[in-house]
């Protein structure tokens, strides 16, 4: 594989990760606005899954280059080697940003799930209290004016 092909793969992968980052940031913004329904969350998951499939396809071709880079580096000119290494660094930085946003999203969703669970628990306790102390049936109105 020549330098042009390697750079093309790395740029393609960077594009995939940037697109994944954009989807993750969009999800984060929607979650911050509390405007994230179950359907919207599923749509984000499907988009991310599709992107991850594309990332996996490129990674199959790119992984052997990255793993054997120290040996392959010798076959490229100094300029080509620097450009490829710079591209790898950009790829790593972009992936780092994706991971950062995804971890933030995961923490936000976990917090939101905790709030929902607490709300459900409060509702359940309220229903138990109502059953225990509430009136059982219509009963007589004790405050009716009977003086007339």
């Amino acid at each position: 594989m020549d330098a042009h092909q390697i750079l093309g793969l790395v740029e393609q992968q960077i594009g995939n990760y940037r697109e994944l980052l954009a989807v993750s940031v969009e999800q984060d913004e929607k979650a911050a606005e509390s405007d994230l329904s179950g359907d919207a969350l599923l749509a984000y998951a499907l988009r991310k899954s599709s992107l991850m499939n594309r990332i996996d396809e490129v990674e199959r071709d790119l992984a052997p280059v990255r793993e054997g880079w120290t040996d392959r580096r010798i076959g490229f000119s100094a300029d080509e080697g620097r450009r490829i290494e710079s591209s790898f660094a950009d790829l790593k930085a972009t992936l780092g940003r994706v991971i950062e946003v995804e971890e933030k999203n995961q923490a936000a969703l976990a917090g939101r799930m905790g709030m929902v669970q607490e709300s459900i628990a409060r509702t359940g306790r309220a229903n138990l209290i109502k059953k225990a102390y509430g009136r059982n049936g219509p009963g007589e109105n004790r405050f009716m004016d009977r003086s007339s």
Side-chain angles (χ1 to χ4, degrees):
M1 192 177 300
D2 67 13
H4 182 70
Q5 291 170 318
I6 293 171
L7 288 169
L9 284 173
V10 174
E11 288 303 316
Q12 184 179 354
Q13 196 71 313
I14 289 172
N16 289 334
Y17 280 128
R18 285 182 179 153
E19 193 172 342
L20 182 61
L21 179 61
V23 171
S24 297
V25 167
E26 182 180 326
Q27 177 185 336
D28 181 47
E29 290 169 353
K30 292 289 185 184
E33 297 169 2
S34 296
D35 193 24
L36 194 60
S37 68
D39 290 340
L41 191 57
L42 180 60
Y44 284 118
L46 290 173
R47 286 171 62 190
K48 288 179 181 180
S49 176
S50 174
L51 286 166
M52 289 306 297
N53 288 337
R54 288 180 15 206
I55 288 169
D56 287 344
E57 286 176 22
V58 175
E59 189 61 27
R60 276 191 287 278
D61 294 331
L62 203 52
V65 174
R66 218 181 6 250
E67 290 167 6
W69 177 244
T70 53
D71 296 331
R72 288 178 186 250
R73 173 78 166 88
I74 299 167
F76 296 102
S77 70
D79 182 53
E80 289 172 333
R82 277 193 299 275
R83 286 191 340 214
I84 292 170
E85 287 173 350
S86 176
S87 293
F88 282 148
D90 289 347
L91 179 62
K92 184 177 180 180
T94 304
L95 178 57
R97 179 72 177 118
V98 169
I99 291 169
E100 178 184 315
V101 171
E102 281 299 312
E103 286 175 347
K104 182 180 175 187
N105 283 345
Q106 185 177 9
L109 287 174
R112 187 172 181 204
M113 190 162 119
M115 290 187 321
V116 168
Q117 288 172 337
E118 178 60 31
S119 176
I120 290 170
R122 278 195 309 266
T123 301
R125 286 191 299 267
N127 287 338
L128 288 174
I129 291 169
K130 189 186 274 185
K131 282 181 183 177
Y133 296 104
R135 288 180 24 185
N136 295 332
E140 182 181 318
N141 187 347
R142 298 183 329 191
F143 301 105
M144 188 181 276
D145 184 13
R146 297 181 186 209
S147 61
S148 30

